[in-house]
Amino acid sequence: MSRRVSVEEAAALLRGADDILLLLHQYPDGDTIGSAYALALALTALGKRVRPACSDPIPRKYDYLTEGLTFASFTPQFICAVDVADTKLLGSLAETGKQADLCIDHHGTNVEYAANLLLDDSCGAAAMVVYAVIRALGVPLDRRMAECLYTGLATDTGCFKYPNTTPAAHRIAAELIEAGARYATINESMFDRKSRARMDLERLALAGMQYHFGGRCAVMVITNRMVEEAGASEDDMEGLAPLPRQIEGVWVGVTLRQKADGGFKASIRTGDKANAADIAAYLGGGGHRGAAGCAVNRPLSEAIDCVLEAVANRVDGITE
Amino acid sequence: MSRRVSVEEAAALLRGADDILLLLHQYPDGDTIGSAYALALALTALGKRVRPACSDPIPRKYDYLTEGLTFASFTPQFICAVDVADTKLLGSLAETGKQADLCIDHHGTNVEYAANLLLDDSCGAAAMVVYAVIRALGVPLDRRMAECLYTGLATDTGCFKYPNTTPAAHRIAAELIEAGARYATINESMFDRKSRARMDLERLALAGMQYHFGGRCAVMVITNRMVEEAGASEDDMEGLAPLPRQIEGVWVGVTLRQKADGGFKASIRTGDKANAADIAAYLGGGGHRGAAGCAVNRPLSEAIDCVLEAVANRVDGITE
């Protein structure tokens, strides 16, 4: 169990510390990167030595947040995890995470591994919590910090589209734009740019889209062969899973992605007509009401049958 | 020339009027619909008779804004155009528009056809101007008005993604959410739902994507045959033109859409490396720096050659 701390208490802990290691979660996204780098910049402005650390490389699309920044080497005296609900999400840094002095997070599922925890699960993004901490530290927001925080905010709210976009999220966005964040450029690179390989992969995947239960369930398959044909990398896979559910009339969208061993990983997305977690649970997986997943280690045609059986059993009124 | 009026003066004009006709522009989008209906609701709340009018039907996707609303028949005593920069954009209502007592708009290109003009071109959406007018009228925002205004705001700012998204746009969004706007549902239906025919059409169009000039120019063709094969309607075409430009490394994205007569309409999109208006001008068309268009009345292979010639001539440094 962590000691729960307020924004002011978290700021006081950071103000009293030096040689601070900031931990990002594995497979880093815009929120953990933006939040940690904004905090790193603010603490640097206070004259502290600080260093962000992540078990995985920062994807190239976030170069605009990290370029030109260098951080000193030091033996950490204070460890702060940002947007990390569980040390399991730290990859190779999990052991380091167990020593965390502070965690700044917005996940209601935080397992309280850090000595001190600043948690606000009313925030759609960790960047909103970090914004409050930077304000409490009294560091003026510069353009670079604002762009880090904007990136986090836009990432986790789907650019202000998702249900987690609170009035506070919009008001912070207004402040970040006023602090100079080049939001239009950031949004274009995050939301409106796709690699050629990604376009090819979408085309191949769309060509095989299957409709079941009178169009209420759509299944999209991504085989290793398609990935190879398109020349797609792991980065190119991001954001594919929601596609089948975006089709009008679809209650349950399923993306079956082949794994290296030939089996499949099912990503299930639903709206208010079905519960993705229920469907995934039928197949031994789990998740949330709107998005869940499971492994289906079968050849393709059997894997599809398994998923359809789960849908038929767990979704009321979906029969043909 | 119009008399320019302030928000307060526009509100005073409306407060002094009755039997008010509100004009929407042709091919109505979320901003003209949301702005006009929000104003209609506010004026109705003040006890006035009011009626929105548009030369074209309101697309079905906006049913949530209009359903259950009925408006009286009357001979208009006051005509107010909303989000209409020119009477030419009123379709069959152009003559009515010439009698407009007031125009509420955000287009810097407004031709000042109305007796009075409330214009604020710092606003990304007409809905922001109408928001200010409703505030000045002293009508409390209810959920329904808030959803109309949110729809306008989200439509014209690309859900807060585009360069026209000001701090004020975010702050108004916060107010609208607090007034009860179900923004997540609105955003899902506006931005994250596609018809099956649209998905099929995207697949067919992506399959024929051509890359030229070492990948700096992408050309996507949509033939009448593809439209037929996908079973797509005019509504399904919306938002296809930006696709080629979204590909990484592409300076110039061109969508060639076949017309009923067999010729093509070229939509040209560019970023900061090229000027779409220059390219379109070479082919006798026009538009803005980032988005322009022209007709290319040739068979397909010649049409593509024409476009590539224009690109080669008007974009510095794009040779292979």
Side-chain angles (χ1 to χ4, degrees):
Chain A
M1 295 287 284
S2 303
R3 183 174 79 105
R4 295 296 192 106
V5 295
S6 66
V7 167
E8 289 69 25
E9 287 168 327
L13 284 169
L14 290 165
R15 216 181 282 112
D18 205 345
D19 291 356
I20 302 166
L21 187 71
L22 297 173
L23 297 178
L24 286 69
H25 65 66
Q26 63 187 354
Y27 312 121
D29 62 8
D31 195 25
T32 196
I33 300 167
S35 297
Y37 275 76
L39 192 55
L41 291 164
L43 293 169
T44 302
L46 289 175
K48 299 184 184 299
R49 291 206 299 185
V50 59
R51 188 173 75 239
C54 185
S55 61
D56 297 295
I58 308 293
R60 280 200 30 233
K61 65 192 263 201
Y62 299 111
D63 280 356
Y64 66 95
L65 295 183
T66 61
E67 68 188 357
L69 297 181
T70 52
F71 297 102
S73 258
F74 52 77
T75 306
Q77 303 299 317
F78 190 93
I79 298 173
C80 174
V82 182
D83 193 36
V84 183
D86 192 323
T87 55
K88 284 181 197 160
L89 304 171
L90 286 165
S92 60
L93 295 171
E95 286 307 310
T96 311
K98 289 179 184 161
Q99 320 295 320
D101 300 286
L102 175 62
C103 173
I104 300 176
D105 195 15
H106 72 121
H107 295 97
T109 54
N110 190 293
V111 301
E112 308 206 11
Y113 58 90
N116 297 282
L117 173 62
L118 170 59
L119 176 72
D120 185 349
D121 64 1
S122 78
C123 289
M128 292 171 68
V129 193
V130 170
Y131 169 87
V133 171
I134 292 177
R135 286 293 192 207
L137 284 169
V139 180
L141 279 181
D142 63 15
R143 170 190 284 185
R144 189 137 204 180
M145 285 180 223
E147 293 190 341
C148 286
L149 294 173
Y150 186 92
T151 299
L153 189 50
T155 298
D156 270 26
T157 61
C159 206
F160 310 99
K161 222 166 45 178
Y162 299 156
N164 64 359
T165 309
T166 53
H170 277 292
R171 292 194 174 105
I172 290 173
E175 301 282 327
L176 299 176
I177 292 172
E178 282 168 347
R182 287 163 297 187
Y183 60 95
T185 317
I186 294 173
N187 290 332
E188 185 181 301
S189 85
M190 284 208 297
F191 302 109
D192 281 342
R193 287 299 243 182
K194 295 176 180 182
S195 70
R196 224 157 122 166
R198 164 59 177 262
M199 281 282 184
D200 281 343
L201 187 60
E202 274 189 30
R203 171 178 61 81
L204 294 167
L206 288 178
M209 187 82 75
Q210 297 185 9
Y211 298 94
H212 300 276
F213 303 106
R216 294 194 196 94
C217 174
V219 180
M220 183 170 83
V221 178
I222 297 170
T223 63
N224 293 330
R225 195 171 156 175
M226 289 177 190
V227 173
E228 200 178 320
E229 186 180 335
S233 68
E234 204 48 48
D235 277 5
D236 295 320
M237 305 292 172
E238 209 184 303
L240 274 174
L243 268 179
R245 231 293 282 169
Q246 289 177 3
I247 300 163
E248 271 171 25
V250 169
W251 298 2
V252 181
V254 181
T255 300
L256 280 171
R257 158 108 192 266
Q258 199 168 28
K259 298 180 296 179
D261 67 7
F264 289 87
K265 187 184 168 299
S267 296
I268 302 163
R269 301 295 172 104
T270 52
D272 52 9
K273 295 276 209 305
N275 184 330
D278 279 355
I279 300 166
Y282 187 92
L283 297 165
H288 305 280
R289 241 198 96 79
C294 56
V296 190
N297 292 313
R298 306 282 189 94
L300 181 55
S301 68
E302 287 179 32
I304 293 174
D305 288 346
C306 283
V307 167
L308 296 179
E309 185 189 316
V311 170
N313 274 282
R314 291 297 171 92
V315 183
D316 288 341
I318 204 172
T319 45
E320 304 270 358
Chain B
M1 294 287 285
S2 302
R3 183 173 79 105
R4 294 297 191 106
V5 296
S6 66
V7 168
E8 289 68 27
E9 287 168 325
L13 285 170
L14 289 165
R15 215 182 283 111
D18 206 346
D19 291 356
I20 302 166
L21 187 71
L22 297 173
L23 297 179
L24 286 68
H25 65 66
Q26 62 186 355
Y27 312 122
D29 62 8
D31 195 25
T32 197
I33 299 167
S35 297
Y37 275 76
L39 191 55
L41 291 164
L43 293 169
T44 303
L46 289 175
K48 300 184 183 298
R49 291 204 301 185
V50 57
R51 188 172 77 239
C54 185
S55 61
D56 297 294
I58 307 291
R60 280 202 27 234
K61 66 192 264 201
Y62 298 111
D63 279 356
Y64 65 95
L65 295 183
T66 61
E67 67 187 356
L69 297 182
T70 51
F71 297 101
S73 259
F74 52 77
T75 305
Q77 303 299 317
F78 190 93
I79 298 173
C80 174
V82 183
D83 194 35
V84 182
D86 191 323
T87 54
K88 286 181 196 159
L89 303 171
L90 286 166
S92 60
L93 294 171
E95 286 306 312
T96 312
K98 290 179 185 162
Q99 319 297 319
D101 300 286
L102 175 62
C103 172
I104 300 176
D105 195 15
H106 72 121
H107 294 96
T109 53
N110 190 294
V111 300
E112 309 206 11
Y113 59 89
N116 298 281
L117 172 63
L118 169 60
L119 176 71
D120 185 348
D121 64 1
S122 78
C123 289
M128 292 172 66
V129 192
V130 170
Y131 170 86
V133 171
I134 292 176
R135 286 295 193 208
L137 285 170
V139 181
L141 277 182
D142 62 15
R143 169 189 286 185
R144 190 138 203 178
M145 285 178 223
E147 294 190 342
C148 287
L149 294 173
Y150 186 92
T151 298
L153 190 50
T155 297
D156 270 25
T157 60
C159 206
F160 311 98
K161 223 168 41 179
Y162 299 156
N164 64 358
T165 309
T166 53
H170 277 293
R171 292 196 174 104
I172 291 174
E175 301 282 326
L176 300 176
I177 292 172
E178 282 168 347
R182 287 163 296 188
Y183 60 97
T185 317
I186 293 172
N187 290 333
E188 186 182 302
S189 84
M190 283 208 298
F191 302 109
D192 282 342
R193 289 298 242 182
K194 295 176 180 182
S195 71
R196 227 159 120 163
R198 163 60 177 261
M199 281 281 184
D200 281 343
L201 186 60
E202 275 189 30
R203 171 177 62 82
L204 294 169
L206 288 178
M209 186 82 75
Q210 297 184 9
Y211 297 93
H212 301 275
F213 303 106
R216 294 193 195 93
C217 174
V219 180
M220 184 171 84
V221 177
I222 298 170
T223 61
N224 292 330
R225 193 171 159 177
M226 289 177 189
V227 173
E228 200 178 320
E229 187 181 333
S233 68
E234 204 49 48
D235 277 4
D236 295 320
M237 304 294 171
E238 208 184 304
L240 273 174
L243 268 178
R245 231 294 282 170
Q246 288 177 3
I247 299 164
E248 272 171 24
V250 169
W251 298 2
V252 181
V254 181
T255 300
L256 280 171
R257 159 107 194 266
Q258 198 167 29
K259 298 178 296 177
D261 67 8
F264 289 87
K265 186 184 168 296
S267 297
I268 302 164
R269 301 294 172 106
T270 53
D272 51 11
K273 295 275 209 304
N275 184 330
D278 279 354
I279 301 166
Y282 187 93
L283 296 165
H288 305 279
R289 241 198 98 77
C294 55
V296 190
N297 292 314
R298 305 282 189 95
L300 181 55
S301 67
E302 287 179 34
I304 293 175
D305 288 344
C306 283
V307 168
L308 297 179
E309 184 190 316
V311 170
N313 274 283
R314 291 298 172 93
V315 183
D316 287 341
I318 203 171
T319 46
E320 303 271 357

